Amino acid sequence: MSARKGRAALMVFCGLVMVLLIAPALVAVPMGFNGRATFEFPPQSWSTRWYENLVTDVTWRDAIVNSFKVAAIVAIVTTVMGTAAAYGLARGRFPGRGAVMALATAPMIIPIVLVAIALYAIFLEQKMVGTLEAFVIAHSLIALPFVIVTVTAGLKSLDDGLERAARTLGASPAVAFFTVTLPLLKRSLAVAAALAFAASFDDVVVAIFISSPEFQTLPVKIYSSLTDTVDPTVAVASTITLAIAALGMAVAFVVMTKRGVEGDAAR
Amino acid sequence: MQPDDRSMAVGARVEIRNLTKRFGSVVAVEDTSLSIEPGQFVTFLGPSGSGKTTTLNAISGFTDVDGGEILLDGTSILSLPAHKRNIGVVFQHYALFPHMTAADNVAFPLKRRRVPKAQVREKVRRALELVHLADYGGRLPRELSGGQQQRVALARALVFEPRLLLMDEPLAALDRRLRDAMQVEIKRIQEQLGITVIYVTHDQDEAMTMSDVVAIFNEGRIAQIGTAADLYERPADLFVARFMGESNRLPVITCDEGAVAFAAGAETLRLRARNATEAGVRGMLVVRPENVLVGRERDPGLDSSLTGRIGRVRYFGAYCVTEVVLDDELIVRSRQPVEVALEAVEGDRVHVQWNSRHALFLRSGEGDQLSGSASSFLDAADGGAEAVAHG
Amino acid sequence: MSIVQRVGHAGAPSRPAGPGGRALAALFSREFALTIPALVLLGFAMGYPLATIVERSVTDFPGGSGAFLDNYKWFFEEELNRVVLLRTFRTAAIVTLACLLIAYPYACAMTVVGWRMRLVMQAAVVAPLLVGTMTRNYSWVILLQDKGPINDALGAVGLGPLHMIGSLSGVIIGLVQISLPFIILPLYASLREIDGRLMGAARSLGATPAQAFTRVYLPLSLPGVVAGSLVVFVVTLGSFITPALLGSPQQSLLPQLIAQQVNQLLAWGRGSAMGVILLLVTLLLIWVGSRASRGSAALSGGGRR
Ligand SMILES: Nc1ncnc2c1ncn2[C@@H]1O[C@H](COP(=O)(O)OP(=O)(O)OP(=O)(O)O)[C@@H](O)[C@H]1O
Ligand SMILES: [Mg+2]
């Protein structure tokens, strides 16, 4: 086999992998326009009534609202909390720093089922199952490592001489942080907040355990409607998350290409 | 920032008393005292790890000290946090804020001090003018060259009119040509403003040309402090002699006031030396290469002389360096203008000679390691010194 | 951010302090204070719940009473549990191997293509992560069903309909596709670091392309292989949603069994014991994996220098 043929074969293989990675996600789009309540693919008839259903059916609407509410609160809480912790860990010299760092990233490696039953046990005990607070606490735990890892990486790439310089110029540690470090961390913070939002918005396992019929998030609603019915509203919900993801990527793309222009604007 | 409105703002008087700083078991600065007059340009010079940066950090407030006192115009600053010390600092890697324009960088310390907006603009303009960057205020740091960035950093450290400016190897990241230009620039600004400057460098020439006073650091202590000429011509000890410029060092032992004994092969010679007092002290006779003349004949004007063979001759354009190998392989170097230097062939027997005015005796400290050959020289000289003394 | 501001103003006065005083001051430093909110969250949402689980695993018994390690004894004595544990490991191993076989050539290709193509390939890896777990699982439910598009395609080329959904094979297919990004990303990161000239150097020293690959490239890529495989293996061990939707109760995996104990049988002690076992296995794997990758990193580090 010649090198050229080998390369061609490799690229064909990669093309197939790309299809495998992306195509399954797109299945939801036609399914959302299914005329009948079946899993038939591709659908035999078309309709938009499931879109109407998503907005008119209270359980779907509430689930969506809950998901956004929880994810937004989690994004804010963990970004603030995680940034503070990452900063303390990056700049501090206190004993046990390594242990705190390991602890802060531990939620990433504990099997999610165990996290779920452990939190469920506590929330049952505290009668918090199916509350906004329970979701915020649980999802903050899941999202925190993402924030800490992201912000720590951002801080590492930052010259800590800048803060010292600010100090010699008359800025207190707090002012130096807010006028120098924070603006330079902007991009890391945006990424961290987005990851925290996504981690919360995407969680199914913990949410299944700690939700109640009165308080569900979107993934829980999708999960239960998938196991109970063949309601294509599921596909509509999936299509919407797909659209949000695509939008997010587009925004990220625009921001990245605009970065060059930003420098000029700052003059 | 004009000369006229700064003429009354003089530099600060800085006093460091018995400063000590340890990092675990490492003593970075040990019981160091130093007093700097207002408006002086003081350079810290010394090998890597000798405590220069640590001393500077103690002044700027970035390290807690373990003992001692630092006074600015007679008041202790040790209890003040870094941001309240009002000391300008210029860093080796500029440390310009990358998200701010040059003008915003310079305005930063003024904003921290809540200076009114109109004044900020005026002061920033003048500070940038001072460093010849009046038209570059709108640029971001990454759009400036290294030299320009360092000048912005200088303007930023000066704009709030500190009375003391600290600079830790500010030019080390620049190339030779730019460095020379910046040396002139920094010196001009310092003289114009009358500000006190403490400057750290590894570059001897930089230290000599810029400073009023040079402090030589060695292992956390100041080995000697004085003008460049003091240090060069009257080094206090062998460390300073070795560190400042080149020197010939001959192992000797004092025999009486103003004279030392040197073992030249089988015979022991008596040489005159400044600084030799009581007899029987081991040390080195230090002579700078430019004071050593090589000749076939004895020069009657030079009162000290040894003989040896010509070794390597190296040509440097303006001058050349001739090595003379004494008996027992000790080498003495002579540096003379090309027209004065002897035209000699390797192996020729010659006299190396100097005026005893330029010969300095320095005792060897406890830390000074003598090579094996040097100590055998001394042992030979030991016997010789007695012979000379008694003979 | 209020904490930053409050403790920030405390400043750090530089005054002489004894070594003991300094250690104490460092413990209660501003920097440590900044980590306190996160530590409180970790304590309340992770430490306390996990402690509760561990406690229940040794105090809560189905009959009401039992001896200290009864729940653990039960786990290893019950035939079904052993079968499920083994099945869980086997599934995780198969998924990891399949992911590795797909990801390795893909990540290699990413290091040799032009930057435009690389961006496309990278986007293809990241996009599924953005789409969301439930959407991807839903898609596989549709695709793998008995009368779904995959079986249609198989029928068109004359292959009988395969029963994939509700079987372990369906779970494996879904898990492989869902896990792929987790292995491609670390693998690519480590392959990118390999100096391409080393292969040329090996060739110039007389190695065949195959030898250059197995003797030079492969050993250097091991840290990435270990890291990526570890992530996939650990995530698969704990996966719950995909087996629940694509698998069958008859072929359940350990996480499902845990959920069942807690949710349906209300046997908190047994469920907790199983959870603790799963955690210990996971930690053990991570420990072994990190030692292995450190070993191979040292090896490849020597090659790189
Ligand atoms: N943060 C620190 N922790 C531990 N030891 C330190 C620290 N800072 C400096 N030291 C030690 O203190 C001594 C003096 O260091 P310092 O940085 O003052 O030297 P320096 O004269 O500035 O050297 P250079 O010319 O290389 O910059 C060195 O032995 C150094 O290793
Ligand atoms: Mg230094």
Side-chain angles (χ1 to χ4, degrees):
Chain A
M1 191 168 64
S2 75
R4 188 191 249 144
K5 263 192 196 147
R7 204 183 154 97
L10 181 63
M11 289 328 291
V12 169
F13 174 81
C14 289
L16 289 175
V17 175
M18 281 195 263
V19 171
L20 176 67
L21 283 167
I22 294 179
L26 303 175
V27 167
V29 181
M31 288 303 283
F33 294 99
N34 201 339
R36 286 183 294 157
T38 63
F39 274 175
E40 223 174 349
F41 186 93
Q44 301 301 308
S45 58
W46 306 94
S47 130
T48 55
R49 65 186 152 121
W50 310 113
Y51 279 82
E52 281 163 40
N53 192 40
L54 187 74
V55 254
T56 50
D57 185 328
V58 186
T59 56
W60 280 102
R61 210 176 50 202
D62 284 353
I64 293 175
V65 171
N66 288 339
S67 266
F68 272 101
K69 222 193 287 183
V70 172
I73 298 174
V74 166
I76 294 168
V77 168
T78 55
T79 303
V80 173
M81 195 184 259
T83 302
Y87 185 78
L89 288 169
R91 295 280 187 269
R93 287 277 164 276
F94 52 88
R97 225 168 99 251
V100 174
M101 190 73 198
L103 215 61
T105 46
M108 263 180 171
I109 59 169
I110 300 175
I112 190 73
V113 181
L114 180 59
V115 175
I117 64 164
L119 283 166
Y120 182 44
I122 297 308
F123 292 143
L124 273 179
E125 209 176 76
Q126 307 286 331
K127 303 209 169 25
M128 285 173 72
V129 169
T131 62
L132 178 68
E133 292 79 16
F135 270 89
V136 168
I137 291 170
H139 284 181
S140 293
L141 178 74
I142 299 174
L144 187 66
F146 292 98
V147 175
I148 291 189
V149 167
T150 309
V151 177
T152 301
L155 279 169
K156 272 213 186 101
S157 68
L158 211 73
D159 176 9
D160 68 342
L162 293 178
E163 264 178 54
R164 287 168 147 245
R167 300 285 309 281
T168 67
L169 297 169
S172 67
V175 172
F177 178 80
F178 285 107
T179 54
V180 175
T181 310
L182 210 52
L184 291 171
L185 273 181
K186 238 178 357 196
R187 195 161 294 134
S188 298
L189 292 185
V191 171
L195 286 176
F197 189 96
S200 165
F201 200 85
D202 197 41
D203 166 66
V204 209
V205 183
V206 176
I208 287 173
F209 280 84
I210 65 172
S211 62
S212 67
E214 290 74 40
F215 192 101
Q216 295 188 331
T217 52
L218 185 58
V220 179
K221 180 67 185 163
I222 296 179
Y223 180 81
S224 58
S225 84
L226 257 185
T227 46
D228 305 344
T229 65
V230 286
D231 180 356
T233 313
V234 174
V236 175
S238 294
T239 305
I240 288 174
T241 44
L242 198 69
I244 293 173
L247 195 73
M249 270 181 109
V251 169
F253 181 76
V254 170
V255 168
M256 281 209 278
T257 49
K258 246 194 166 171
R259 212 189 297 168
V261 188
E262 206 177 277
D264 300 331
R267 283 190 192 175
Chain B
M1 304 292 289
Q2 300 296 307
D4 48 297
D5 62 39
R6 285 301 297 259
S7 52
M8 29 216 303
V10 287
R13 176 189 306 279
V14 183
E15 274 183 86
I16 298 172
R17 291 192 193 144
N18 308 99
L19 188 69
T20 298
K21 172 67 189 175
R22 289 178 216 99
F23 292 105
S25 60
V26 179
V27 184
V29 178
E30 193 173 9
D31 200 23
T32 291
S33 298
L34 172 67
S35 165
I36 300 171
E37 296 299 311
Q40 259 184 346
F41 193 113
V42 177
T43 297
F44 289 179
L45 189 65
S48 196
S50 57
K52 308 180 295 287
T53 298
T54 306
T55 307
L56 227 54
N57 282 345
I59 301 173
S60 60
F62 289 127
T63 31
D64 302 336
V65 305
D66 293 303
E69 210 23 292
I70 298 177
L71 306 174
L72 220 64
D73 289 321
T75 353
S76 170
I77 55 170
L78 280 185
S79 56
L80 287 177
H83 62 280
K84 299 216 174 114
R85 294 198 178 182
N86 219 35
I87 295 172
V89 182
V90 176
F91 299 85
Q92 181 177 339
H93 294 290
Y94 326 134
L96 291 180
F97 306 130
H99 59 303
M100 297 181 196
T101 61
D104 287 339
N105 264 283
V106 177
F108 185 89
L110 300 174
K111 286 189 185 145
R112 302 284 79 76
R113 289 166 175 77
R114 309 198 185 289
V115 174
K117 268 221 175 80
Q119 276 186 48
V120 169
R121 218 171 304 124
E122 181 59 18
K123 281 176 188 257
V124 168
R125 191 182 61 74
R126 284 204 226 156
L128 285 173
E129 257 169 29
L130 184 74
V131 295
H132 302 311
L133 284 177
D135 298 332
Y136 291 80
R139 299 253 190 127
L140 286 171
R142 63 163 180 269
E143 299 164 338
L144 295 169
S145 73
Q148 289 168 337
Q149 288 186 49
Q150 193 56 300
R151 278 188 280 161
V152 174
L154 186 60
R156 186 179 68 174
L158 290 171
V159 72
F160 59 97
E161 300 174 20
R163 303 179 58 204
L164 172 62
L165 180 66
L166 309 179
M167 307 175 96
D168 195 348
E169 304 186 41
L171 307 182
L174 304 180
D175 66 45
R176 182 82 238 176
R177 288 251 300 283
L178 208 50
R179 205 150 60 205
D180 291 343
M182 281 298 288
Q183 284 173 14
V184 175
E185 192 96 322
I186 290 171
K187 191 65 193 162
R188 170 184 68 80
I189 291 170
Q190 185 255 340
E191 279 168 0
Q192 184 176 333
L193 302 181
I195 189 173
T196 306
V197 172
I198 303 181
Y199 190 98
V200 173
T201 180
H202 271 128
D203 184 337
Q204 258 183 52
D205 297 338
E206 199 167 287
M208 296 229 209
T209 54
M210 298 178 79
S211 337
D212 301 316
V213 170
V214 179
I216 306 278
F217 275 67
N218 183 26
E219 294 180 349
R221 290 172 175 275
I222 294 182
Q224 189 178 359
I225 180 160
T227 63
D230 276 344
L231 298 181
Y232 190 77
E233 285 159 25
R234 288 173 289 282
D237 60 23
L238 276 172
F239 175 82
V240 177
R242 230 170 330 181
F243 200 78
M244 290 292 282
E246 279 192 65
S247 58
N248 291 301
R249 295 181 298 276
L250 303 173
V252 294
I253 186 163
T254 52
C255 40
D256 54 57
E257 199 168 326
V260 296
F262 173 68
E267 56 175 336
T268 298
L269 295 175
R270 186 187 153 99
L271 297 169
R272 280 157 52 80
R274 270 160 48 204
N275 213 20
T277 46
E278 69 219 286
V281 183
R282 290 176 174 216
M284 294 280 180
L285 185 71
V286 176
V287 192
R288 299 285 181 188
E290 62 270 27
N291 295 325
V292 174
L293 201 66
V294 177
R296 270 182 241 288
E297 313 292 324
R298 282 247 19 204
D299 188 324
L302 303 174
D303 58 4
S304 302
S305 164
L306 300 171
T307 56
R309 285 170 287 106
I310 293 278
R312 222 140 57 93
V313 179
R314 280 177 297 162
Y315 177 74
F316 287 92
Y319 56 88
C320 68
V321 171
T322 310
E323 292 181 350
V324 176
V325 185
L326 305 184
D327 301 332
D328 297 307
E329 307 307 311
L330 210 62
I331 290 173
V332 173
R333 288 188 184 79
S334 157
R335 192 172 71 201
Q336 293 296 337
V338 175
E339 56 272 21
V340 179
L342 181 72
E343 277 188 38
V345 188
E346 202 172 322
D348 284 359
R349 269 206 94 74
V350 289
H351 295 277
V352 273
Q353 42 210 338
W354 60 85
N355 192 311
S356 60
R357 268 189 297 133
H358 296 128
L360 185 68
F361 170 78
L362 292 171
R363 64 175 63 222
S364 19
E366 301 87 69
D368 289 317
Q369 303 279 321
L370 290 178
S371 66
S373 68
S375 34
S376 59
F377 262 109
L378 281 181
D379 291 336
D382 240 343
E386 273 154 38
V388 174
H390 298 289
Chain C
M1 288 285 153
S2 69
I3 305 225
V4 179
Q5 201 134 31
R6 185 168 55 74
V7 294
H9 277 304
S14 23
R15 79 178 83 81
R22 187 174 298 151
L24 211 68
L27 186 60
F28 296 103
S29 66
R30 168 173 58 237
E31 285 82 9
F32 179 73
L34 286 172
T35 66
I36 289 175
L39 286 176
V40 169
L41 174 71
L42 289 166
F44 180 75
M46 185 173 74
Y48 173 51
L50 283 183
T52 305
I53 288 296
V54 172
E55 192 214 32
R56 285 190 185 181
S57 77
V58 294
T59 57
D60 184 310
F61 304 100
S65 67
F68 184 53
L69 287 176
D70 270 5
N71 285 326
Y72 293 88
K73 213 159 29 168
W74 163 81
F75 180 83
F76 289 107
E77 275 169 1
E78 193 85 5
E79 168 87 36
L80 175 70
N81 292 333
R82 290 207 304 269
V83 170
V84 170
L85 186 65
L86 216 66
R87 183 190 295 137
T88 308
F89 267 96
R90 210 175 46 230
T91 307
I94 294 171
V95 169
T96 307
L97 196 68
C99 277
L100 194 57
L101 289 178
I102 298 173
Y104 200 96
Y106 190 86
C108 277
M110 280 176 80
T111 63
V112 295
V113 295
W115 69 270
R116 244 180 266 273
M117 188 61 195
R118 176 156 47 233
L119 215 62
V120 172
M121 292 177 80
Q122 228 155 6
V125 177
V126 177
L129 292 176
L130 297 174
V131 167
T133 310
M134 278 321 294
T135 303
R136 286 188 287 169
N137 279 297
Y138 167 77
S139 299
W140 282 111
V141 169
I142 302 295
L143 288 172
L144 293 175
Q145 59 188 317
D146 290 347
K147 293 204 174 104
I150 293 182
N151 265 322
D152 284 353
L154 286 174
V157 295
L159 292 168
L162 297 176
H163 181 62
M164 290 176 290
I165 196 150
S167 78
L168 207 52
S169 55
V171 175
I172 291 173
I173 294 173
L175 283 175
V176 167
Q177 194 263 350
I178 289 171
S179 310
L180 265 180
F182 299 128
I183 188 168
I184 293 179
L185 292 176
L187 203 50
Y188 167 63
S190 102
L191 294 186
R192 195 181 43 184
E193 296 296 312
I194 298 176
D195 189 343
R197 286 168 304 184
L198 286 176
M199 291 283 279
R203 294 291 306 281
S204 75
L205 294 171
T208 65
Q211 282 170 335
F213 177 78
T214 54
R215 300 278 171 78
V216 179
Y217 196 82
L218 200 59
L220 287 175
S221 68
L222 274 182
V225 170
V226 172
S229 305
L230 198 64
V231 173
V232 173
F233 201 93
V234 165
V235 167
T236 311
L237 271 189
S239 67
F240 175 72
I241 295 300
T242 307
L245 288 175
L246 302 181
S248 76
Q250 285 73 44
Q251 289 188 306
S252 58
L253 302 179
L254 193 56
Q256 285 160 281
L257 226 51
I258 296 175
Q260 189 191 26
Q261 289 291 339
V262 169
N263 269 344
Q264 286 157 31
L265 308 174
L266 300 180
W268 275 96
R270 289 181 174 177
S272 299
M274 292 160 102
V276 172
I277 290 168
L278 184 60
L279 176 64
L280 292 180
V281 169
T282 304
L283 292 180
L284 183 75
L285 277 170
I286 290 173
W287 182 72
V288 170
S290 67
R291 303 237 2 190
S293 83
R294 204 177 311 151
S296 54
L299 185 144
S300 65
R304 224 173 282 152
R305 241 169 265 138

